[in-house]
């Protein structure tokens, strides 16, 4: 009973106030934010982090409605979001010590040119597989995306749909930029014809591979490497040409607690903060090269990969590409795979012309002024643009459908 | 007596035997997050939706993502995962300076007649967080007092006795309030527990009544509505909830501030005006479809198979029986034949709990009755997956309030009906105790 009374008494004891609060707007998953918030608060027990969680597009709208007020730090894995925030003049120049961070990874800048934001981590595209499964199937782990166009991979690939899976648009575009528009899309058509498509509500790509629904999956490094670090029996490789997507962090001009905001950003890019990225639940790539030293980690700064990528171009045509992908692939996938299978059921000597016919990409590369590109880019913002983008998608969906059907009829009539 | 011992031993499933339709032999960090191997393909999409909602960080309304908004106005966490990392258990802070990250505090007040009620202003749970413009309810901190226990082989174990303090009241003084800490429990076999019939639970009461030790648990009968028959509670540390669906809806409501058909009003009391005036994320915020998806996800998570049995684990299994732990930690039950989905029907499940309430003595008592359970009664905690607790999360706690940092500490807190078992563990030789712990870690 004495203890019970003590409990009642302690209930009434005031605790010392005086802690300051820092409002963090982020769209990272719980597993990542928990580690960073706990570690930061342990290092700065006088600062409490209030987390505002919103997906990037929703975060932008929220900031827009609040005229950039109501939060201190923005931390979103979306370069596009930060470009918009900078354009709206919501960000304040960072006055941090970030000398240890390189200015770029390959051609890709890791700092904004005006220091409005800075990369905090990055993620790269690659392939996840179980080596024993590939060996059993007599398939060799690819070194290039193009190897996945071989019919030997038929029904063995898990491929995310860009209109439904947030990380997939850049995956698609990096190959288009590296190979050229026509050749890149032809390769995606062939890879998609070999693939199971992963959309909203599907298993993760890594699950597809581990549960042997697919033998190889197109994914980001951290999905694969956190799965492996958590006990999944797989391997991840970067193809020789790929892209890395840096995730920025920045401080708002109207931040109420600039001092705490700077401490947080400094913590994220510090050696201890960057080391947290290696936790089995996270496995993102540090932007501080020193963190890789002495660790058996794939280091994007040291890998001999081609990672050239024009982010501005990619962002401009992100929705346009996704609409085209749905028109050519998602909405016609069964027919596409049927034609693909029919071609490869024929003697090998007949494959090349038919493959060429199937994989011929009929849509021209748009420039930034293209009306349909602009409509698709704005499809989530206004109804008229949405309708125009939908009409564009539907037009090409019917064209691709007719093309596939015509080719199938031609093969079957032989 | 020897015959009884042999009978008890026979009740404990040996390691290595498992129902491979519903269990997984994975003992890695993701061990508690895998689907049952025999999950029908037709349910995969709904399972994935449930997983996504379970891991989802919920958003303050209004938003451009109406399917996931409605967080708060008052809440403890932004996601289910925050309190159940890796689908495992949470933990208590180690010092008063550390906030509760996967723990919360239940509240009650007592009237002059000794009846227990939710706090008139703060309700049944302290929500330490709130959306902008709404005051949070306050802060809870845990203080510890050290208590030493010396084992028969001379090893000294330091326990920490917690006391919870409340501060920074957002809506006036707390007054004389009963408090009880709760860490997030592990989410293992939730659908299977739901699928156990009341009759199956009651069979063990008959068995316990026949024991010379006088350990008899009691079912926590709950009446959901006047026109429905009572059902035995089995979820929550005081078995205060009878169905998984209710458990999920209540957690969404109390912990995240998300309304559902079962809890249609925001979690604000009459005096919390800013809370009452805050925008809603829908009516309700968690749709029936979303609730069903989370229910399916938690129901079809694979249960962990015990580790391969070694000589030491086998010896530990014998110690578990010899210390009479299995009188309450009932090794196995069988689910109902008509359970839904069919994958869960007629399965033997080795949960190591009788799902009954037992008086656990004054040291564990929180003095806060919950429905028909007294302040010293607790539901026997299921032990399946116990050995994975520290695999799936970085730091974990044991017992309802996470006071125990290890399984041995948790055992040493047992009292009341389990006093004799605790004493037996204290008297064990080093080899016997280590074997017992190895057995528990193998689950």
């Amino acid at each position: 009973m004495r203890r019970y009374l003590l409990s009642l008494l302690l209930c009434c004891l005031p605790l010392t106030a005086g802690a300051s609060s820092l409002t963090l707007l982020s769209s990272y998953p719980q597993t990542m934010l928990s580690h960073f918030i706990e570690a930061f608060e342990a290092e700065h027990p006088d600062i409490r982090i209030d987390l505002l969680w919103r997906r990037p597009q929703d975060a932008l709208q929220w900031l827009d409605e609040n005229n950039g007020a109501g939060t201190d730090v923005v931390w979103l894995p979306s370069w596009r979001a930060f470009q918009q925030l900078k354009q709206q003049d919501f960000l304040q120049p960072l006055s941090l010590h970030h000398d240890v961070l390189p200015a770029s990874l390959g051609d890709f800048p890791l700092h904004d040119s005006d220091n409005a934001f800075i990369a905090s981590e990055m993620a790269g595209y690659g392939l996840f597989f179980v080596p024993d499964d590939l060996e059993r199937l007599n398939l060799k782990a690819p070194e290039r995306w193009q190897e996945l166009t071989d019919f030997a991979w038929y029904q063995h690939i898990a491929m995310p749909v860009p209109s439904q899976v947030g990380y997939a648009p850049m995956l698609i575009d990096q190959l288009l930029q590296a190979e050229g528009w026509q050749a890149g899309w032809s390769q995606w058509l062939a890879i998609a014809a070999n693939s199971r498509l992963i959309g909203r509500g599907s298993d993760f790509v890594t699950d597809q591979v581990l549960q042997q629904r697919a033998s190889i999956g197109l994914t980001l490094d951290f999905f694969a490497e956190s799965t492996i670090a958590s006990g999944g029996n797989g391997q991840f490789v970067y193809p020789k040409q790929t892209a890395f997507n840096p995730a920025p962090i920045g401080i708002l001009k109207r931040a109420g607690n600039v001092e705490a905001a700077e401490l947080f950003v400094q913590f994220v890019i510090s050696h201890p903060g960057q080391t947290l990225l290696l936790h089995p639940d996270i496995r993102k790539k540090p932007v501080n090269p020193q963190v890789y030293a002495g660790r058996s980690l794939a280091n994007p700064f040291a890998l001999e990969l081609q990672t050239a990528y024009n982010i501005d171009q990619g962002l401009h045509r992100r929705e346009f590409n996704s609409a085209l992908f749905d028109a050519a692939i998602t909405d016609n996938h069964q027919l596409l795979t049927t034609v693909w299978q029919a071609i490869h059921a024929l003697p090998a000597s007949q494959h090349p012309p038919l493959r060429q016919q199937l994989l011929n990409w009929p849509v021209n590369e748009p420039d930034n002024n293209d009306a349909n590109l602009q409509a698709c880019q704005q499809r989530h913002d206004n109804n008229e643009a949405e309708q125009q983008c939908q009409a564009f998608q539907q037009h090409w969906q019917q064209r691709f459908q007719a093309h596939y059907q015509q080719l199938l009829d031609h093969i079957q009539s032989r | 007596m020897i015959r009884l011992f042999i009978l008890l031993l026979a009740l404990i499933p040996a390691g290595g035997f498992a129902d491979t339709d519903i269990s997984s032999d994975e003992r890695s960090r993701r061990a508690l997050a895998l689907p049952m191997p025999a999950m029908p393909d037709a349910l995969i999409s709904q399972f994935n939706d449930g997983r996504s909602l379970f891991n989802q960080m919920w958003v303050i309304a209004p938003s451009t993502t109406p399917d996931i908004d409605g967080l708060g106005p008052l809440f403890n966490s932004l996601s289910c995962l925050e309190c159940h990392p890796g689908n495992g258990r949470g933990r208590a802070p180690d010092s008063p300076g550390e906030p509760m990250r996967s723990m919360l505090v239940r509240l009650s007040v007592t009237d002059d007649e000794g009846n227990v009620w939710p706090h008139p202003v703060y309700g049944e749970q302290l929500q330490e967080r709130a959306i902008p413009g709404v005051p949070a309810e306050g802060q809870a901190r845990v203080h510890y007092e050290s208590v030493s226990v010396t084992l028969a082989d001379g090893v000294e174990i330091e326990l920490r006795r917690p006391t919870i303090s409340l501060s920074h009241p957002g809506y006036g003084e707390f007054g004389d309030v009963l408090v009880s800490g709760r860490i997030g429990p592990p989410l293992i076999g939730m659908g299977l527990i739901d699928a156990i019939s009341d009759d199956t639970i009651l069979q063990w009461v008959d068995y316990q009544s026949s024991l010379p030790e006088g350990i008899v648990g009691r079912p926590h009968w709950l009446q959901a509505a006047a026109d429905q028959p009572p059902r035995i509670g089995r979820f929550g540390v005081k078995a205060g909830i009878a169905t998984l669906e209710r458990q999920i809806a209540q957690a969404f409501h109390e912990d995240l501030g998300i309304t559902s058909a079962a809890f249609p009003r925001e979690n604000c009391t009459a005096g919390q005006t800013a809370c009452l005036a805050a925008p809603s994320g829908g009516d309700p915020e968690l749709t029936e479809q979303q609730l069903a998806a989370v229910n399916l996800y938690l129901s079809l998570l694979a249960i962990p198979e015990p580790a391969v049995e070694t000589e030491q684990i086998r010896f530990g299994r014998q110690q578990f029986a010899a210390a009479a732990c299995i009188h309450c930690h009932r090794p196995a039950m069988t689910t109902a034949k008509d359970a839904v989905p069919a994958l869960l029907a007629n399965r033997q499940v080795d949960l190591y709990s009788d799902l009954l309430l037992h008086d656990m003595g004054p040291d564990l008592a929180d003095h806060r009755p919950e429905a028909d359970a007294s302040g010293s009664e607790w539901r026997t905690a299921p032990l399946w997956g116990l050995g994975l607790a520290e695999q799936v999360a970085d730091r974990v706690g044991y017992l309802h309030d996470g006071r125990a940092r290890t399984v041995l500490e948790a055992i040493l807190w047992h009292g009341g009906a389990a006093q004799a078992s605790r004493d037996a563990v204290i008297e064990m030789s080093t080899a016997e105790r280590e074997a017992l712990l190895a057995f528990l870690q193998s689950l």
Side-chain angles (χ1 to χ4, degrees):
Chain A
M1 193 57 174
R2 263 176 49 203
R3 274 198 297 276
Y4 170 53
L5 287 174
L6 176 67
S7 145
L8 284 177
L9 282 171
L10 271 168
C11 279
C12 307
L13 291 177
L15 281 189
T16 313
S20 72
S21 71
L22 165 70
T23 305
L24 169 65
L25 177 62
S26 185
S27 65
Y28 278 106
Q30 180 75 62
T31 43
M32 175 141 162
L33 290 169
S34 291
H35 289 294
F36 274 89
I37 291 173
E38 192 170 337
F40 177 77
E41 288 183 342
E43 196 171 302
H44 300 280
D46 55 327
I47 302 173
R48 193 192 70 240
I49 293 182
D50 289 329
L51 178 63
L52 276 179
W53 197 92
R54 287 182 183 266
R55 288 179 181 153
Q57 196 57 37
D58 190 37
L60 289 178
Q61 179 150 336
W62 187 84
L63 283 169
D64 196 32
E65 285 167 3
N66 289 280
N67 202 20
T71 190
D72 299 305
V73 174
V74 189
W75 194 21
L76 308 165
S78 167
W79 198 267
R80 179 173 61 155
F82 276 82
Q83 284 188 326
Q84 189 170 326
L85 290 175
K86 183 185 172 188
Q87 205 171 15
Q88 289 178 282
D89 198 25
F90 281 168
L91 299 170
Q92 62 171 280
L94 297 170
S95 55
L96 301 164
H97 304 291
H98 52 73
D99 307 345
V100 292
L101 305 188
S104 64
L105 171 70
D107 296 347
F108 205 115
L110 295 177
H111 305 170
D112 169 62
S113 53
D114 299 317
N115 218 20
F117 54 88
I118 184 172
S120 61
E121 51 92 357
M122 55 191 170
Y125 294 94
L127 300 162
F128 178 68
F129 54 89
V130 178
D132 289 349
D133 289 351
L134 290 193
E135 196 177 326
R136 186 172 42 80
L137 294 163
N138 204 23
L139 292 167
K140 186 173 166 287
E143 294 184 349
R144 297 180 178 277
W145 302 103
Q146 292 77 0
E147 291 170 43
L148 294 173
T149 63
D150 193 303
F151 188 67
W153 290 98
Y154 182 61
Q155 291 191 325
H156 286 306
I157 306 170
M159 180 183 193
V161 173
S163 60
Q164 298 177 40
V165 178
Y167 67 84
M170 189 170 171
L171 165 70
I172 300 303
D173 199 61
Q174 54 84 25
L175 192 66
L176 303 183
Q177 291 196 18
E179 294 291 307
W181 179 260
Q182 308 286 350
W185 273 115
S186 291
Q187 288 166 14
W188 280 130
L189 275 181
I191 293 171
N194 279 332
S195 296
R196 301 169 61 95
L197 298 183
I198 306 302
R200 200 175 291 120
S202 298
D203 280 349
F204 299 143
V205 166
T206 46
D207 288 346
Q208 291 273 332
V209 173
L210 291 177
Q211 290 164 19
Q212 298 185 325
R213 292 193 175 94
S215 304
I216 196 161
L218 281 52
T219 188
L220 278 167
D221 47 15
F222 68 91
F223 287 128
E225 289 179 359
S226 65
T227 300
I228 295 165
S230 300
N233 171 34
Q235 189 180 330
F236 177 82
V237 296
Y238 296 109
K240 287 190 185 303
Q241 186 281 317
T242 188
F244 283 84
N245 190 7
I249 190 167
I251 299 174
L252 285 161
K253 241 179 194 164
R254 297 184 66 188
N257 193 345
V258 175
E259 193 183 343
E262 287 181 342
L263 284 172
F264 184 76
V265 176
Q266 193 73 61
F267 174 76
V268 168
I269 61 172
S270 70
H271 201 282
Q274 292 284 293
T275 305
L276 283 177
L277 295 169
L278 307 180
H279 188 281
D281 294 344
I282 304 174
R283 291 286 164 157
K284 297 269 189 158
K285 292 291 174 200
V287 289
N288 181 344
Q290 293 173 1
V291 177
Y292 296 92
R295 293 188 163 94
S296 57
L297 294 169
N299 176 357
F301 296 102
L303 291 171
E304 290 182 5
L305 300 174
Q306 297 163 35
T307 58
Y309 185 70
N310 182 336
I311 184 74
D312 291 331
Q313 184 180 25
L315 291 176
H316 272 113
R317 63 192 195 187
R318 173 190 167 101
E319 298 295 337
F320 181 86
N321 286 352
S322 295
L324 272 183
F325 187 98
D326 282 343
I329 295 168
T330 320
D331 299 341
N332 284 309
H333 193 240
Q334 196 173 349
L335 189 54
L336 172 65
T337 54
T338 305
V339 187
W340 186 248
Q341 197 182 17
I343 292 171
H344 292 91
L346 297 170
S349 60
Q350 297 179 32
H351 297 174
L354 291 169
R355 276 180 64 123
Q356 192 180 2
Q357 219 176 321
L358 176 68
L359 303 179
N360 179 40
W361 185 254
V363 189
N364 290 329
E365 182 170 12
D367 61 31
N368 285 348
N369 298 320
D370 183 281
N372 288 318
L373 180 142
Q374 290 190 346
C376 290
Q377 196 178 5
Q378 295 162 25
R379 69 183 304 178
H380 301 299
D381 301 329
N382 80 62
N383 283 340
E384 203 179 324
E386 167 65 7
Q387 281 172 9
Q388 184 176 338
C389 187
Q390 265 186 22
F392 164 75
Q393 182 176 327
Q394 196 177 10
H395 165 77
W396 282 107
Q397 185 271 327
Q398 289 167 356
R399 288 277 301 269
F400 277 104
Q401 185 181 14
H403 173 58
Y404 300 154
Q405 188 62 54
Q406 198 177 18
L407 194 57
L408 184 63
D409 292 345
H410 169 67
I411 294 166
Q412 287 174 342
S413 68
R414 286 186 169 210
Chain B
M1 195 59 187
I2 292 170
R3 280 173 58 193
L4 177 62
F5 180 72
I6 293 168
L7 175 70
L8 290 174
L9 259 182
L11 289 170
I12 310 179
F17 174 78
D19 185 339
T20 54
D21 279 356
I22 59 169
S23 64
S24 161
D25 62 359
E26 182 102 26
R27 295 190 72 79
S28 67
R29 194 166 181 87
R30 63 196 195 115
L32 301 183
L34 299 168
M36 289 179 174
M39 177 169 70
D41 284 353
L43 297 179
I44 289 174
S45 176
Q46 194 182 11
F47 178 90
N48 291 336
D49 287 347
R51 173 171 62 182
S52 174
L53 289 163
F54 183 85
N55 294 342
Q56 180 65 51
M57 307 279 275
W58 288 74
V59 174
I60 297 166
S63 77
T64 61
T65 51
D67 54 326
I68 55 159
D69 73 11
L71 177 72
L74 297 167
F75 60 97
N76 294 96
S77 56
L78 277 80
S79 75
C80 305
L81 199 62
E82 192 168 358
C83 290
H84 308 278
N87 291 346
R89 59 185 65 229
R91 68 176 185 90
D94 288 327
S95 71
E98 189 184 349
M100 293 183 176
R101 300 187 193 279
S102 50
M103 181 179 181
L104 52 82
V105 175
R106 290 276 164 78
L107 308 172
S108 300
V109 293
T110 311
D111 66 18
D112 293 342
E113 280 82 46
N115 301 311
V116 176
W117 303 95
H119 193 288
V121 176
Y122 290 95
E124 280 192 279
Q125 184 168 309
L126 183 80
Q127 277 95 16
E128 295 190 78
R129 294 153 89 172
I131 66 171
V134 176
E137 291 191 320
Q139 286 180 14
R141 290 291 185 261
V142 188
H143 308 255
Y144 294 107
E145 172 196 349
S146 282
V147 184
S148 257
V149 177
T150 306
L151 308 179
D153 61 357
V155 171
E156 198 167 315
I157 305 293
E158 191 177 292
L159 306 179
R160 50 181 199 177
R161 185 190 307 281
T163 311
I164 292 171
S165 69
L166 306 182
S167 69
H168 302 84
Y171 300 89
E173 290 305 312
F174 294 109
D176 286 346
V177 59
L178 303 174
V179 295
S180 186
R182 300 277 190 275
I183 60 166
L187 303 172
I188 301 170
M190 302 288 275
L192 292 162
I193 291 174
D194 203 15
I196 293 168
S197 73
D198 287 353
D199 285 346
T200 300
I201 295 172
L202 291 173
Q203 284 165 8
W204 204 251
V205 179
D206 296 338
Y207 160 76
Q208 288 174 339
S209 302
S210 70
L211 295 172
E213 288 90 340
I215 301 168
V216 184
R218 68 183 186 93
H220 194 178
W221 286 105
L222 301 167
Q223 183 90 39
D227 59 345
Q228 288 176 14
R231 196 175 177 214
I232 296 175
R234 73 256 337 256
F235 295 105
V237 292
K238 287 183 185 271
I241 298 173
T243 67
L244 178 55
E245 183 181 84
R246 178 90 183 172
Q247 170 67 46
I248 296 166
Q250 183 165 321
F252 265 99
H253 188 245
E254 298 278 334
D255 305 351
L256 279 78
I258 303 287
T259 60
S260 59
F263 296 90
R265 285 201 296 264
E266 295 290 357
N267 187 21
C268 318
T269 57
Q272 295 174 323
T273 50
C275 179
L276 289 166
S280 165
D283 185 21
E285 290 159 341
L286 185 73
T287 66
E288 276 185 48
Q289 198 180 9
Q290 288 176 315
L291 177 58
V294 178
N295 193 335
L296 186 90
Y297 169 65
L298 293 176
S299 294
L300 298 189
L301 285 169
I303 55 171
E305 290 174 17
V308 175
E309 190 166 271
T310 62
E311 197 56 46
Q312 187 191 35
I313 292 172
R314 191 172 303 122
F315 185 48
R317 190 156 60 92
Q318 292 167 358
Q319 303 314 310
F320 188 71
C325 307
I326 62 169
H327 291 330
C328 300
H329 289 286
R330 178 182 180 180
M333 288 194 227
T334 302
T335 59
K337 288 187 173 63
D338 56 354
V340 177
L343 181 58
L344 304 181
N346 202 26
R347 300 282 177 181
Q348 181 187 306
V349 289
D350 308 332
L351 73 164
Y352 289 92
S353 170
D354 57 10
L355 301 177
L356 299 170
L357 294 173
H358 295 270
D359 188 320
M360 295 298 288
D363 280 342
L364 265 186
D366 65 357
H367 306 283
R368 179 184 171 275
E370 187 176 307
D372 198 29
S374 76
S376 60
E377 283 183 311
W378 302 94
R379 179 204 63 167
T380 307
L383 300 181
W384 53 5
L386 191 65
L388 291 169
E390 291 165 42
Q391 280 286 326
V392 303
D394 295 340
R395 294 160 72 193
V396 297
Y398 299 91
L399 297 173
H400 64 283
D401 55 6
R403 69 179 69 188
R405 291 157 293 190
T406 65
V407 173
L408 180 58
E409 284 186 28
I411 293 170
L412 295 175
W413 277 110
H414 282 50
Q419 183 70 42
S421 294
R422 170 196 183 264
D423 293 346
V425 172
I426 289 177
E427 292 305 319
M428 281 179 180
S429 69
T430 308
E432 288 168 338
R433 189 178 67 246
E434 286 178 355
L436 171 70
L437 295 174
F439 164 69
L440 293 171
Q441 289 296 330
S442 77
L443 297 178

